[in-house]
Amino acid sequence: MKFLLHRQSSTPLYQQIFTYIVQQIQNGMLKDGEQLPSLRALADDLNVSVLTARKAYKWLETKGYVFIQPGKGVYVRGKKSISVQIERPYEWQRSLSTNVVRSQYLINRKKQYYDFSQAVVYPRLLPTQFLADEMQKILDKNKMILATYGSVQGDEELRLEMAKYLRDHQGLNTHPSNLLITSGVQQGIDLVAQTLLKPGDTVVVESPCYGAAIDVFVNKGINLISIELDEQGIRSDALEEVCQKKKPKLIYVNPSFHNPTGTLMSEQRRQELVELAELYGFFIIEDDSFGEIYFDHVFPPHPIKYFDRNGYVIYLKGFSKTMAPGVRVAALLAEGPVFDWLYGVKASMDIGSPLLTQKAILPFLRTERMKNHLEKLRIALQIRRDTAVDIMSSLTGMVELRVPKGSLNLWISLPDSVHPLRLLEKANEASISFLPGSSCFVHEPKHHHIRISYSLLSDRDLTIGLQKLCEVIFDFGD
């Protein structure tokens, strides 16, 4: 019995063997009562261990597809196959999958009224009307823009304004030719992964980490190593230990008001990361999605990219959070041959990001509107943060809060007796959603956490929803 095993897949080999034999039974290729190969013969045919073969047969027996006669062999029990095929008609598709399907967004697919799961800003705090008016002006002037592909690199006018913005607000002296416009930071992360990584490469991430970034790396078969954060960000001493034992291809960090914890990486730690990249020869993906959303006059240091002189840092600047999620515009900054590689992969991805939205944000960046908008947005979000902290503090002694100095999220540690997924089920019954902390870890975390995003709801719904959530947590903990 020989067939192709996907050895790079995260699906265990014994499960792949199980699935194949079930298919053979269901399509009639293996008849009721037919004897299957011995453990040793199956192991030799598929180049697997006898233990793997034994686990596959044991699982088939447990599910009722075969029966084992000690000393004689393994035999097909085929009468059950028809009902199983009717109950699960799409099961055959699993045998074709070579990737892990991991996504933090699968957890909260059903939208709840009190939605604390999305790190998205309340629509009325964003310049949606201005952007809508600008898009209408563009369409009135030139409807053919809808029939035009944007350039692969991004609109030239927008890249010019982006370069000015990065110079004025981040201290990054860059040329528009080194910028690539992407459809949000998420596409930028995926673009870097597609360009630089292959299955089996080692990538270092923070622990906890932005869950959607973990999804990108895991689903590409990458070997992920997570390093804990302290109050200054990812520990550079722990990173160096990893570099001495492994050879990471890149590390991914979210240094300015980290998602999900809100941690602000110190300037010293940022410089140390660049020094380690130079010493051990790895890339750094710097995700700067929240740098402008700071509170309590706590200004973030220069980006990690500011300290990079030799092209080790690939900098991603997102505008979806602060301007409009539906615009999906971000800038990727890179120098050297890697920029050409990224350009080529971007061309194969989408040929170019939508031109209409790129043109629409130009007036916003060219005037004082962006500066004024960010000032008002910070005030509104700080009020929401304070509201969230005040309400959740009623659970002091039961939960532990990490008060962020920026960003959109509140990271909450739960008692060991309160499991986040079971808590989420109870919260859903009250029309409440949040992000379980397990979505932000490579492996199952030692302790229980949840992430509350205080940015999406109105002031009134934020207050009511959090009060209801406190009741759910309190009742759950009794």
Side-chain angles (χ1 to χ4, degrees):
M1 181 180 290
K2 293 186 178 182
F3 58 93
L4 179 63
L5 289 173
H6 301 289
R7 299 181 185 275
Q8 298 298 326
S9 172
S10 66
T11 302
L13 295 178
Y14 77 90
Q15 289 187 14
Q16 295 184 42
I17 297 170
F18 167 86
T19 300
Y20 176 80
I21 293 176
V22 168
Q23 289 176 342
Q24 296 296 97
I25 294 172
Q26 291 179 347
N27 63 26
M29 297 299 292
L30 290 174
K31 305 297 183 182
D32 191 13
E34 185 174 344
Q35 185 173 6
L36 297 180
S38 67
L39 289 175
R40 174 60 63 185
L42 182 67
D44 290 345
D45 284 348
L46 299 179
N47 193 25
V48 297
S49 68
V50 173
L51 177 60
T52 297
R54 181 179 290 113
K55 288 173 70 176
Y57 278 167
K58 187 64 178 176
W59 208 22
L60 285 163
E61 182 187 37
T62 301
K63 299 296 183 180
Y65 291 103
V66 304
F67 61 93
I68 299 175
Q69 290 188 351
K72 293 187 176 180
V74 181
Y75 298 86
V76 173
R77 190 199 306 273
K79 294 180 180 179
K80 187 180 177 182
S81 62
I82 295 176
S83 61
V84 172
Q85 187 176 21
I86 293 173
E87 292 170 2
R88 305 182 71 180
Y90 309 115
E91 188 65 23
W92 66 271
Q93 296 175 2
R94 297 182 185 277
S95 67
L96 302 181
S97 175
T98 58
N99 294 320
V100 180
V101 180
R102 181 195 191 277
S103 174
Q104 68 172 56
Y105 299 105
L106 290 173
I107 296 174
N108 286 297
R109 281 189 291 183
K110 185 177 179 181
K111 185 171 176 58
Q112 304 296 332
Y113 184 82
Y114 299 106
D115 187 357
F116 301 114
S117 68
Q118 298 186 71
V120 177
V121 173
Y122 182 54
R124 293 187 181 179
L125 298 178
L126 297 173
T128 50
Q129 187 59 55
F130 174 84
L131 293 173
D133 291 343
E134 287 303 313
M135 287 186 191
Q136 189 59 55
K137 290 177 185 177
I138 294 169
L139 289 172
D140 289 343
K141 185 177 180 180
N142 180 20
K143 290 183 174 58
M144 292 304 294
I145 196 171
L146 295 177
T148 305
Y149 280 119
S151 70
V152 172
Q153 189 169 352
D155 180 65
E156 186 175 5
E157 288 184 300
L158 179 59
R159 287 188 285 111
L160 180 61
E161 292 303 323
M162 291 283 195
K164 291 179 181 177
Y165 181 90
L166 294 179
R167 180 195 64 208
D168 296 342
H169 295 272
Q170 308 296 334
L172 298 176
N173 290 318
T174 185
H175 193 272
S177 62
N178 293 123
L179 292 176
L180 193 63
I181 303 302
T182 63
S183 297
V185 165
Q186 187 66 25
Q187 189 191 36
I189 297 170
D190 191 58
L191 175 60
V192 175
Q194 291 271 26
T195 304
L196 297 180
L197 302 176
K198 62 183 183 299
D201 282 344
T202 297
V203 170
V204 176
V205 298
E206 300 154 311
S207 183
C209 178
Y210 171 45
I214 296 177
D215 294 344
V216 168
F217 300 130
V218 168
N219 292 337
K220 285 180 170 50
I222 304 305
N223 175 37
L224 276 183
I225 297 177
S226 55
I227 295 179
E228 291 185 357
L229 303 173
D230 60 20
E231 66 279 359
Q232 294 188 62
I234 191 170
R235 290 177 47 204
S236 50
D237 60 333
L239 175 60
E240 183 160 22
E241 287 183 16
V242 169
C243 291
Q244 290 172 352
K245 298 175 183 177
K246 304 283 186 178
K247 185 173 177 56
K249 199 73 166 287
L250 63 81
I251 73 166
Y252 166 84
V253 289
N254 187 200
S256 294
F257 310 114
H258 168 264
N259 181 5
T261 67
T263 301
L264 179 62
M265 186 184 291
S266 67
E267 182 169 301
Q268 177 182 343
R269 196 65 59 82
R270 295 173 189 231
Q271 293 177 352
E272 289 172 352
L273 288 187
V274 174
E275 291 170 3
L276 288 172
E278 293 173 345
L279 182 61
Y280 292 99
F282 57 78
F283 283 102
I284 299 172
I285 301 180
E286 180 179 11
D287 178 350
D288 187 5
S289 295
F290 300 100
E292 290 90 348
I293 306 176
Y294 53 83
F295 311 138
D296 306 321
H297 304 291
V298 177
F299 305 100
H302 287 298
I304 300 172
K305 184 64 179 174
Y306 177 84
F307 306 102
D308 177 33
R309 298 293 178 267
N310 297 295
Y312 288 96
V313 181
I314 299 173
Y315 177 77
L316 294 170
K317 181 67 202 170
F319 291 87
S320 297
K321 303 295 185 185
T322 55
M323 194 177 297
V327 168
R328 303 302 294 146
V329 170
L332 182 153
L333 170 58
E335 302 96 354
V338 72
F339 183 87
D340 295 331
W341 305 340
L342 291 163
Y343 181 100
V345 175
K346 176 71 161 58
S348 67
M349 266 187 177
D350 61 10
I351 310 179
S353 299
L355 186 57
L356 177 60
T357 52
Q358 294 183 62
K359 290 293 189 184
I361 68 173
L362 277 171
F364 207 75
L365 291 173
R366 283 173 171 165
T367 65
E368 288 291 300
R369 285 182 178 274
M370 186 67 170
K371 177 182 176 182
N372 296 334
H373 161 64
L374 288 174
E375 290 175 353
K376 294 177 182 178
L377 182 61
R378 282 191 287 267
I379 293 171
L381 290 174
Q382 182 170 336
I383 292 172
R384 280 169 165 75
R385 180 209 61 178
D386 293 343
T387 297
V389 170
D390 287 345
I391 294 174
M392 298 306 296
S393 293
S394 66
L395 296 173
T396 298
M398 187 175 184
V399 305
E400 180 181 336
L401 308 180
R402 181 181 292 219
V403 181
K405 296 297 184 181
S407 189
L408 311 176
N409 306 307
L410 189 62
W411 186 244
I412 300 174
S413 299
L414 302 171
D416 289 341
S417 60
V418 180
H419 194 282
L421 290 176
R422 291 196 290 271
L423 179 64
L424 181 61
E425 292 176 1
K426 290 294 183 183
N428 285 170
E429 294 175 6
S431 297
I432 299 169
S433 62
F434 56 77
L435 186 69
S438 56
S439 299
C440 303
F441 289 88
V442 176
H443 305 292
E444 188 66 25
K446 298 178 183 177
H447 304 290
H448 295 157
H449 312 274
I450 61 174
R451 191 196 74 181
I452 299 296
S453 295
Y454 47 76
S455 55
L456 180 56
L457 300 179
S458 67
D459 291 333
R460 179 177 181 276
D461 286 342
L462 175 67
T463 299
I464 295 173
L466 288 178
Q467 289 172 343
K468 287 179 176 290
L469 178 58
C470 284
E471 294 173 5
V472 172
I473 296 174
F474 185 81
D475 292 342
F476 195 91
D478 282 347

